[in-house]
Amino acid sequence: MGSVKALCFALAAAAMVFASGISPGVAQTVPGVTKDTITIGAFAPMTGPSYLYGKLFYNGVEVVFDEINAAGGINGRKVQILREDDRCDPATAIGAVKKLISQDQVFMISGGGCSNSALAARDEIEKSGIPWIVASAVHDGITRPIAPNIFSPALTSSIESAAQVEYAQRHDVQRVAVISMRDAWGRARYEPLMAILKEKGITPVADEELAPDANDATPQVLRLRAANPDAILIVLFPKPAAVFVRDAAKLGFKPLLIGQSAISDPTAFEEQVGMPGATANFVTISQVRYTPESPEVAKWSKAIEAKYPGDRLSVFNLFGIGNAQVIAEALKRAGPELSRESLLAAVTTLRDFPTDTYGGGITCTKEENRCNKYPVWIQKAPGGPIKIMDIAKVN
C-alpha cells in the first residue's frame, strides 16, 4: 500500500512540474532557474572609492535587462541581478562568491570589477563549475590558464599593454618611460608591458614605481623628467595616477601620458587631478566606443538617469551595457531548456557579436576565452567633452 501511495505522489509531482511549463530537469537540478526567472549573481565594488567599477557598471547591466524583461524576458524567463559588494577587497570577494554560489544558488556569475578581488575569487568559481562572464577586471590570471567556465568580454591586461606600446609607436615616440604599481594588479600589466617592449627592441629610458596609496609623486616626477621621455606609459589606479599627473604639472613636466582602462573615465580623472590643464596630454584606453553623451547611446543614458537619478553617468555604465548584451545573447542561444552546460556551449558560438558599446565584435571559443580584442583610445581636453580618438585591433 505504501509503495502505491509513493507512486501516486511521484506521479502527482511530475504532473505539477509538467503543468508548470518547465522540464523536470530544469525544475529539479538547475540552480537559479525557474519557469519564470533566471538569477545572476554579481560581485563588484558597489561602495567606496572604486564604485565606478561595480555600482555604475551594474547600473548599465540592469537597464539592459529591464528592457529585455519588459519585452517578455529571454525564452520566457525574466532576468534578476543579485548584487554583492566586494569593496575591491580579495577576501570580501571570495566570501561574496561563496554566498552567491552556495547560499543564493544563482545560475551564473557576472562580476569582477577589480582585478585583485576577481583574481582571488577565480579558484572558488572555477572549482564550482558555475559559468562566469567577467565584468571589467583585466588581470590575465582571471582568464589564464583557460578554464571551461570562464569567459571575458572585457579587455585583458596583456591586450591593453600591447595597445599602449602600439599607440606610442604609431605616434613616433622615440623615448618611452614607464610608471607603474607593482601589486598583483600592477604586475599583471607591468610584466607583459615590459616583455612587449623588449620584444620590439625598446628600452625604457626610465622605469618608476608608485604605490597605490601614494600622496606624493615628486621624486618619481623628478627622475622621469631627468630621463627626458617623449611619452610615459602609465600602469596605475586612478588615485596614484592623479597624484602623478598633478605633481608633473606642478613641475612643468608635460610629456605624452598613455593610460589604460583603469582610468577610462577622464571626467572623473580630471576631477581627481584637480589642477586645470594638467590632463591636456593624457590619453587612455576605454573598453567602449562611445561616451554617455554620445547620441548613439542616448536611450541607455536616459534609462540610467531615470532609474538611478542620484548616480552620475559614466563610461562604466556603457561597459555594463555591452557586458549585459553578451550575457543576454548567450542565454538566448542556450534555449528554453536552460542549463549551465548549454549556456557555456552557447558562449563559444559567439563570433564577432555586435553590442551597442564595445569597440568591436565579441568572439569566444573554447580555445580563446579573452573575447574582446578592440581597445578604444579616448581623450578629454581640459573642461571639454570626452572624444573617441581611435579603435585598435590587438592580435
Side-chain angles (χ1 to χ4, degrees):
M1 186 68 175
S3 61
V4 173
K5 285 185 176 179
L7 178 60
C8 290
F9 281 124
L11 290 171
M16 289 174 66
V17 169
F18 179 79
S20 70
I22 56 177
S23 73
V26 171
Q28 294 176 19
T29 64
V30 182
V33 178
T34 71
K35 76 180 184 68
D36 298 318
T37 62
I38 303 167
T39 301
I40 297 173
F43 73 100
M46 307 299 173
T47 59
S50 300
Y51 80 103
L52 293 168
Y53 310 143
K55 183 180 182 183
L56 299 191
F57 179 95
Y58 281 100
N59 287 357
V61 169
E62 296 262 13
V63 296
V64 171
F65 285 118
D66 282 351
E67 181 179 84
I68 290 170
N69 291 343
I74 299 173
N75 297 318
R77 296 185 180 97
K78 295 187 177 182
V79 177
Q80 302 173 343
I81 304 294
L82 187 58
R83 301 191 192 192
E84 285 289 329
D85 183 5
D86 70 12
R87 303 196 304 275
C88 244
D89 175 68
T92 305
I94 293 170
V97 164
K98 286 182 176 179
K99 178 179 180 292
L100 290 167
I101 295 171
S102 301
Q103 181 177 323
D104 299 318
Q105 295 276 300
V106 298
F107 171 65
M108 63 166 286
I109 296 290
S110 161
C114 299
S115 285
N116 290 350
S117 54
L119 185 63
R122 174 184 159 133
D123 285 349
E124 197 68 36
I125 296 172
E126 182 179 1
K127 180 176 63 178
S128 74
I130 190 171
W132 180 19
I133 305 297
V134 178
S136 58
V138 302
H139 194 300
D140 281 334
I142 298 167
T143 51
R144 289 293 183 273
I146 291 176
N149 60 319
I150 301 173
F151 294 88
S152 180
L155 297 170
T156 62
S157 53
S158 57
I159 290 171
E160 291 195 18
S161 294
Q164 285 180 293
V165 175
E166 288 178 7
Y167 187 92
Q169 289 183 307
R170 283 190 286 114
H171 289 79
D172 297 322
V173 170
Q174 301 299 313
R175 297 172 60 81
V176 66
V178 176
I179 185 165
S180 67
M181 290 161 36
R182 305 290 168 84
D183 62 352
W185 176 89
R187 287 196 306 274
R189 290 178 177 273
Y190 174 78
E191 290 170 1
L193 176 64
M194 298 306 285
I196 292 163
L197 287 169
K198 183 177 180 180
E199 178 185 316
K200 293 182 178 293
I202 301 171
T203 301
V205 297
D207 180 9
E208 291 290 332
E209 179 180 355
L210 190 63
D213 58 353
N215 292 310
D216 179 33
T218 303
Q220 288 86 352
V221 170
L222 290 172
R223 288 192 292 269
L224 285 165
R225 187 174 68 176
N228 193 31
D230 302 317
I232 299 176
L233 308 182
I234 298 176
V235 183
L236 300 170
F237 278 164
K239 180 184 180 297
V243 171
F244 169 72
V245 172
R246 180 198 64 210
D247 289 350
K250 285 180 180 178
L251 293 168
F253 181 44
K254 300 178 181 180
L256 174 64
L257 304 173
I258 304 175
Q260 30 63 40
S261 67
I263 324 172
S264 56
D265 189 334
T267 301
F269 186 61
E270 185 179 31
E271 292 171 1
Q272 281 182 291
V273 173
M275 187 173 178
T279 58
N281 295 329
F282 176 71
V283 297
T284 195
I285 292 173
S286 175
Q287 299 193 24
V288 293
R289 66 186 186 273
Y290 300 121
T291 72
E293 295 75 33
S294 299
E296 293 87 348
V297 292
K299 80 162 186 176
W300 295 121
S301 295
K302 289 177 182 176
I304 291 166
E305 286 183 310
K307 187 176 178 72
Y308 304 103
D311 291 339
R312 60 184 291 272
L313 289 172
S314 165
V315 292
F316 287 97
N317 299 141
L318 306 187
F319 286 19
I321 288 165
N323 190 274
Q325 290 177 331
V326 171
I327 293 173
E329 180 65 17
L331 288 169
K332 179 182 176 183
R333 295 187 187 193
E337 298 295 321
L338 184 61
S339 68
R340 288 172 172 173
E341 293 74 18
S342 68
L343 175 65
L344 291 171
V347 173
T348 64
T349 69
L350 296 174
R351 298 290 185 276
D352 286 320
F353 174 70
T355 68
D356 288 354
T357 60
Y358 283 136
I362 299 298
T363 297
C364 305
T365 69
K366 291 180 180 179
E367 296 75 28
E368 179 55 283
N369 60 351
R370 299 173 299 178
C371 308
N372 186 347
K373 305 291 176 65
Y374 293 93
V376 179
W377 287 102
I378 60 175
Q379 186 172 32
K380 181 183 184 299
I386 300 171
K387 293 184 178 180
I388 307 300
M389 309 298 290
D390 185 29
I391 299 176
K393 171 71 186 291
V394 175
N395 295 313

